[in-house]
Amino acid sequence: MQTLRHLLSDLSSRSTLKENMDSSDSDNHKLMLTLSQFKWINRYMSGMHGLLQKTIIADMKSQNEKREFRILDIGCGGCDIPIWLALTCKKHNLHTTLFCVDHDPRVVKYAQSVCSLFSNISVLEKPAYHAISELHPDYIISNHFLHHLEDEVIASLLQDAYNHSTRGIVMNDISRSRSSLWIFCIVSLLFFHKSYSCIDGLISIRKGFTRNDLLNVADKTRIPLKIELVRPGHICAYALK
């Protein structure tokens, strides 16, 4: 019944519901299982790998500089994106240091364990705002982070991220649509069991963005943001300097 309510919900505006895994008293086993499933969700459903290839990896390669690039991932979750990015940059002979931050100590502990073999990845328990101003990154990225924020703070966060990065920002998130709800529901019921992935995924889609939502955000900033749909079911705001 809960699933059906989400599938038939009003999508005219962003939901303000809280995801189960964001609660401090969420079940730890379910939380760890959900974090482990992010790797497959992000690989096959977020479009983040291709997006990073055409944005920051292409930008790093175009500079022809043999230097170390600093990348900050805010709201890093299970850190599968930073791990993929570190490995891909290594293949391209790009030298990187990656900083991954999350506010939940349980998520940070999990991410630190999966990144333990990567000397160029640091996972920190730190608010995104502090990390943006303190770590002096070349690039700031996020995947499925913006939808956790209220409308009124998204523009200021993007502006701060752009101002504090030397090369730019790439923020990928979920496109709010009826088709996204139904497709994710079917996939999650088939493959992501005994975790928060199904219900929280549906809530995340309801909290996601339309193109007009992000265009309205862009109007409140002084950033040359590009808004693009990312298949399947995602939308991105990015700006490179």
Side-chain angles (χ1 to χ4, degrees):
M1 183 61 70
Q2 184 181 9
T3 300
L4 186 60
R5 284 201 299 270
H6 288 304
L7 292 173
L8 300 179
S9 60
D10 179 13
L11 298 181
S12 59
S13 61
R14 296 183 62 216
S15 172
T16 58
L17 289 173
K18 186 175 182 180
E19 294 167 44
N20 293 287
M21 65 177 292
D22 288 339
S23 174
S24 60
D25 61 354
S26 59
D27 181 88
N28 195 65
H29 175 72
K30 284 187 177 182
L31 175 62
M32 295 301 109
L33 184 56
T34 304
L35 291 170
S36 71
Q37 292 170 349
F38 281 171
K39 175 173 64 176
W40 307 109
I41 292 171
N42 289 333
R43 177 180 297 181
Y44 296 109
M45 303 184 76
S46 75
M48 189 62 167
H49 294 181
L51 179 62
L52 292 175
Q53 287 272 18
K54 81 168 192 175
T55 53
I56 69 171
I57 292 176
D59 189 66
M60 285 188 282
K61 291 170 70 175
S62 71
Q63 295 179 63
N64 294 317
E65 295 184 39
K66 295 298 181 182
R67 69 175 181 93
E68 184 177 275
F69 294 94
R70 295 164 64 88
I71 303 169
L72 169 60
D73 182 6
I74 53 177
C76 62
C79 267
D80 56 286
I81 297 296
I83 289 173
W84 174 87
L85 187 54
L87 292 172
T88 303
C89 287
K90 185 177 181 180
K91 290 179 183 177
H92 291 288
N93 199 29
L94 296 167
H95 303 287
T96 57
T97 294
L98 293 98
F99 300 96
C100 311
V101 299
D102 202 284
H103 73 282
D104 189 327
R106 299 169 300 168
V107 174
V108 169
K109 184 177 180 180
Y110 173 89
Q112 287 173 336
S113 69
V114 299
C115 294
S116 60
L117 298 179
F118 294 84
S119 60
N120 63 331
I121 299 179
S122 298
V123 184
L124 309 170
E125 183 185 341
K126 188 182 288 284
Y129 283 99
H130 293 173
I132 287 169
S133 61
E134 294 172 5
L135 294 176
H136 310 292
D138 293 298
Y139 304 94
I140 300 177
I141 67 173
S142 74
N143 186 57
H144 299 168
F145 174 70
L146 293 184
H147 75 261
H148 292 277
L149 306 179
E150 297 176 354
D151 287 341
E152 54 267 24
V153 304
I154 294 175
S156 62
L157 181 133
L158 292 179
Q159 187 69 64
D160 285 348
Y162 186 76
N163 291 346
H164 284 94
S165 63
T166 65
R167 296 297 307 163
I169 61 174
V170 178
M171 307 292 183
N172 191 44
D173 219 291
I174 300 169
S175 175
R176 187 176 74 253
S177 70
R178 189 72 58 193
S179 60
S180 292
L181 281 172
W182 282 94
I183 291 170
F184 184 80
C185 180
I186 293 169
V187 171
S188 62
L189 289 174
L190 287 173
F191 298 108
F192 305 128
H193 305 292
K194 301 178 181 179
S195 73
Y196 292 122
S197 293
C198 182
I199 295 301
D200 276 7
L202 297 178
I203 294 173
S204 294
I205 293 169
R206 293 180 60 187
K207 296 172 70 173
F209 304 91
T210 64
R211 181 175 177 81
N212 283 339
D213 290 334
L214 290 184
L215 287 173
N216 289 335
V217 169
D219 288 341
K220 299 174 184 176
T221 72
R222 301 180 305 279
I223 307 171
L225 277 173
K226 296 181 179 178
I227 311 298
E228 292 185 4
L229 292 177
V230 180
R231 302 297 181 188
H234 283 69
I235 190 166
C236 175
Y238 70 93
L240 298 178
K241 300 180 181 180

